[in-house]
Amino acid sequence: MTRRLAVTVVAAVLTFLGVLSPAAAQNASWQHVPVPAQVRPQAALNEAVALGADRAWAVGADAVGREAPGFPLLLRWDGSGWQRQGVPGAGWQGELLSVSATSPSDVWAVGRDTAGAARLLRFDGTSWSESRAPRGVLLTKAVSGGGETWLIGSRDGAQVLLRRDGRVWRELPVPSGAVYGLHIRAADDVWAAGATASGAAVSHWDGQAWQQTVVDGFPRSAVGTVLAVSPTEVWAGGTAGFVGGPVGRPIPPLLVRFDGQTWSRVPVPADFGSVTSLATSGSGGLAWVSMARSQKWGPPGTTPPLIPGPDFLAWDGQSFAEHSEPAVPGEGDSQTLNLAPVPGTSSVWSVGRAAGPENTFAPRVLRFG
């Protein structure tokens, strides 16, 4: 299929990366990794987490629209290939939305069944089991870091944040507006990416209260991913938004950086699209940015006027190097790619959904390094 020409962009949420030198990022390339043959057509992956070179998990949905509304999809990387894993429960239909881990024996996945009920799964290092989801909460995302695991969800239309405290989930205050992503450094050092009526916003939790800052005041702007390198280096990415205009009007990407005092916008080599993931290097600094449907204005006279932009950006501390996802026979380009680093290595996974034949879609797994 031809490279993307669509000009619509969706805001998205984003993740992490692995250890890369600038030279490695320049010389290496992203490679396509096939999913197991038993994963049926019309499948998609939402998120992944890696715990080592031979341990990673990816979650999503399988057979969506073929055996509507589809089944939860759980994959495990064993160092040589991806293997499908059984999902605990009585053969429920639905989707797994997110996966995170504090260790190989403490992995969490959240999803939703066709009845609208939340599904919460836990892997203890040996097997998966179903855990009781917080009552009345519709879960959308699990985030781990700093020995912590938090859940993002909603109850009766109001957003909910929950923190794992021993054997129970404790509800916490929520910053105003919407929260789309979290970065957890410690129980008293948590950053939230989201949006308010005033624009894109980043909030910081100090263990007692949230302090919120509007990082881009343009209407309908939002950030879906945040990465806190240190108290004086925090990044957030999403879309800059727009006001009015025709349906399908392109939306510019948004990448902002905090230096400990102020937030400033960072230019990226794309005119339209969305920043979907931010990921660190081995030293803890920003190394990768992933993009969704990025586009650039072509040279004068180009028809159509937009050309494909980068799918990934490698940051060397001063500038970005552009990377594209590999072409996959019989499939089109990815809609969203979320990053998952492999600890202790220079590798990073990226999972998502790609365009398939005849207006279908297909799971997409890529690896760098």
Side-chain angles (χ1 to χ4, degrees):
M1 296 180 65
T2 59
R3 291 282 288 172
R4 54 193 171 278
L5 297 176
V7 294
T8 56
V9 179
V10 293
V13 285
L14 330 336
T15 39
F16 287 37
L17 157 109
V19 184
L20 289 175
S21 68
Q26 288 282 357
N27 297 329
S29 62
W30 288 88
Q31 303 296 320
H32 175 247
V33 181
V35 298
Q38 65 266 38
V39 174
R40 291 160 287 190
Q42 200 78 345
L45 293 169
N46 292 320
E47 205 166 76
V49 63
L51 297 156
D54 60 352
R55 283 177 291 187
W57 297 95
V59 299
D62 193 8
V64 179
R66 303 275 179 152
E67 299 179 42
F71 297 86
L73 179 60
L74 179 63
L75 303 180
R76 180 174 184 171
W77 174 258
D78 62 6
S80 59
W82 288 96
Q83 306 296 327
R84 183 162 192 168
Q85 304 291 297
V87 176
W92 56 277
Q93 287 185 272
E95 181 175 17
L96 289 174
L97 302 169
S98 179
V99 62
S100 69
T102 58
S103 72
S105 60
D106 189 30
V107 186
W108 293 88
V110 302
R112 186 180 310 164
D113 64 25
T114 55
R119 295 285 181 154
L120 180 61
L121 312 179
R122 186 182 185 185
F123 182 73
D124 62 6
T126 302
S127 62
W128 284 92
S129 61
E130 194 152 17
S131 183
R132 179 176 297 179
R135 185 180 298 275
V137 178
L138 187 64
L139 299 174
T140 56
K141 192 171 183 65
V143 183
S144 297
E148 296 272 307
T149 296
W150 288 34
L151 303 177
I152 302 176
S154 63
R155 181 193 295 114
D156 299 327
Q159 192 145 45
V160 175
L161 291 177
L162 300 118
R163 172 181 176 264
R164 186 70 172 175
D165 183 5
R167 295 179 176 273
V168 299
W169 294 98
R170 304 280 185 195
E171 196 164 333
L172 296 173
V174 181
S176 62
V179 173
Y180 301 128
L182 297 171
H183 181 73
I184 306 170
R185 291 171 55 85
D188 59 355
D189 189 6
V190 181
W191 295 81
T196 69
S198 300
V202 175
S203 304
H204 180 253
W205 173 256
D206 63 5
Q208 300 295 324
W210 291 98
Q211 181 179 357
Q212 186 174 77
T213 303
V214 174
V215 297
D216 186 88
F218 202 75
R220 304 189 200 178
S221 63
V223 284
T225 181
V226 61
L227 174 63
V229 175
S230 71
T232 58
E233 185 181 352
V234 184
W235 299 77
T239 54
F242 65 96
V243 176
V247 175
R249 178 179 176 178
I251 304 173
L254 176 63
L255 181 64
V256 292
R257 182 179 183 178
F258 181 62
D259 62 5
Q261 298 292 328
T262 59
W263 288 89
S264 57
R265 190 162 179 174
V266 180
V268 296
D271 295 303
F272 306 106
S274 175
V275 173
T276 59
S277 262
L278 303 173
T280 60
S281 64
S283 62
L286 177 71
W288 285 94
V289 175
S290 67
M291 306 282 294
R293 295 177 176 173
S294 72
Q295 296 177 313
K296 302 178 180 181
W297 290 113
T302 301
T303 304
L306 297 173
I307 61 175
D311 299 301
F312 304 98
L313 301 173
W315 175 252
D316 65 4
Q318 299 294 327
S319 62
F320 289 110
E322 302 179 33
H323 290 253
S324 296
E325 64 174 320
V328 179
E331 297 180 8
D333 300 306
S334 298
Q335 296 177 9
T336 301
L337 290 169
N338 287 318
L339 301 167
V342 181
T345 77
S346 61
S347 297
V348 57
W349 292 100
S350 181
V351 303
R353 173 188 298 192
E358 300 178 357
N359 297 318
T360 61
F361 52 86
R364 177 61 55 86
V365 180
L366 304 176
R367 182 172 63 185
F368 186 94

